[in-house]
Amino acid sequence: MLAVRLPIFAGLLLAAGSLCAQQDQPKPITSVAMFKVTPDKMGSFMETMKIFPPVLDKLMADGSLLGYGVDADVLHSGGTNVAFWISGPGFAAIDKSEKAIGDAMKANPEKMKLGWGATDFGAHRDLLVRSVEGKMGKVPAGTLPFTDFSEEKVKPGKMPVAMMLFRHFEKPVLDKLVEDGVIYGYSVDVEAVHTSEPGKIWFLTIMPNLAAKDKVRAAMMAAMAKMPESDRTALEEIEKDVFVASAHRDSISEALIFKTK
């Protein structure tokens, strides 16, 4: 098995070395507020969400923010089902957005009461994540994309290998799909402030529609088919050594509000 793995590890190390400069660049921070909203109250919740775009658009215009949006789950798993996210180049951007949101909330007490009444606050959860890899193409104005999430748990000490696997095998395929307009973009996120078990990592693909998921899968399968059988076998073994298979989860969301640069 060692003889089989050596060529693939050599390729991974070369890939890691070529990306060192890119890894030194600042990585975006995204604040995610997750809510549980019942279907009959979604309209009330979204009326409340409409108070935030005017203040967030100003922050995007002056370069403080990279994007924001509200996503609703397409696949319902019984937990939180709506996410309000704001992305910026660092924590300073999140600080500015929190102040702007706070001001908007104070200026609209009745709409805030309507929004809180639509949610189960006991199920509410916040996340702060950092994008460690990603690329966004041009998203037409007014577009409400779908986002495909793959959540994984990486074993202790294996995060560098997990990222090398992604950068060497999946990233080139996704980059080409972004360039061809098949998908709008992708991101690999980890917690910037750890509120859950260490090792969580999310792989996001932003798509124009659900049909794009078939195209992404076909492109990945085609890339895998080009690999020698020994490399495919080695890759499967390495993945078993890196990820906790039982922790894997998938989800799909659809944007109700979406703005990005």
Side-chain angles (χ1 to χ4, degrees):
M1 184 59 70
L2 181 60
V4 172
R5 290 187 182 186
L6 280 176
I8 200 168
F9 270 124
L12 290 174
L13 291 171
L14 286 171
S18 68
L19 287 161
C20 282
Q22 181 177 344
Q23 292 176 48
D24 290 338
Q25 296 175 2
K27 305 299 183 183
I29 296 287
T30 302
S31 171
V32 187
M34 295 179 289
F35 302 91
K36 186 174 183 179
V37 183
T38 56
D40 62 321
K41 295 180 179 178
M42 186 65 78
S44 297
F45 182 80
M46 289 309 297
E47 277 301 310
T48 302
M49 289 294 102
K50 289 177 183 178
I51 71 174
F52 301 121
V55 297
L56 296 177
D57 284 344
K58 290 180 181 178
L59 293 178
M60 284 192 66
D62 70 18
S64 297
L65 291 184
L66 301 173
Y68 68 88
V70 177
D71 294 345
D73 283 356
V74 173
L75 300 176
H76 302 102
S77 58
T80 56
N81 59 342
V82 180
F84 176 30
W85 60 271
I86 299 167
S87 185
F91 280 101
I94 303 303
D95 185 43
K96 283 186 179 181
S97 66
E98 288 291 327
K99 290 175 181 175
I101 286 171
D103 290 342
M105 292 169 69
K106 290 175 184 176
N108 295 273
E110 292 303 314
K111 284 200 173 182
M112 286 310 305
K113 189 183 297 183
L114 188 69
W116 292 130
T119 69
D120 174 5
F121 197 73
H124 173 68
R125 186 185 174 202
D126 293 317
L127 280 174
L128 277 168
V129 299
R130 186 187 303 277
S131 296
V132 292
E133 189 65 71
K135 181 175 184 176
M136 280 297 295
K138 183 67 176 176
V139 182
T143 297
L144 297 175
F146 288 80
T147 301
D148 191 16
F149 294 85
S150 178
E151 179 182 317
E152 303 282 358
K153 181 174 173 57
V154 179
K155 295 178 183 179
K158 301 294 184 179
M159 190 63 78
V161 180
M163 290 310 304
M164 283 192 288
L165 286 171
F166 174 81
R167 288 170 176 141
H168 191 62
F169 296 104
E170 296 181 55
K171 176 178 166 58
V173 177
L174 293 172
D175 282 344
K176 183 67 163 59
L177 292 174
V178 173
E179 291 167 9
D180 292 345
V182 175
I183 61 174
Y184 291 136
Y186 66 88
S187 180
V188 182
D189 296 350
V190 298
E191 282 194 283
V193 176
H194 297 92
T195 58
S196 60
E197 287 184 71
K200 282 280 186 71
I201 186 168
W202 292 268
F203 299 89
L204 289 65
T205 308
I206 300 93
M207 312 177 295
N209 47 48
L210 286 177
K213 190 169 171 60
D214 291 329
K215 298 175 183 178
V216 173
R217 184 176 185 275
M220 290 293 181
M221 295 289 286
M224 188 69 72
K226 293 178 182 178
M227 295 172 57
E229 185 177 351
S230 60
D231 281 6
R232 290 198 297 270
T233 301
L235 179 59
E236 290 171 2
E237 292 299 318
I238 296 168
E239 287 179 340
K240 289 177 185 177
D241 188 53
V242 170
F243 298 105
V244 179
S246 61
H248 171 79
R249 297 291 185 273
D250 293 314
S251 62
I252 300 174
S253 68
E254 181 178 10
L256 304 178
I257 297 174
F258 185 86
K259 294 280 185 73
T260 189
K261 287 194 169 183

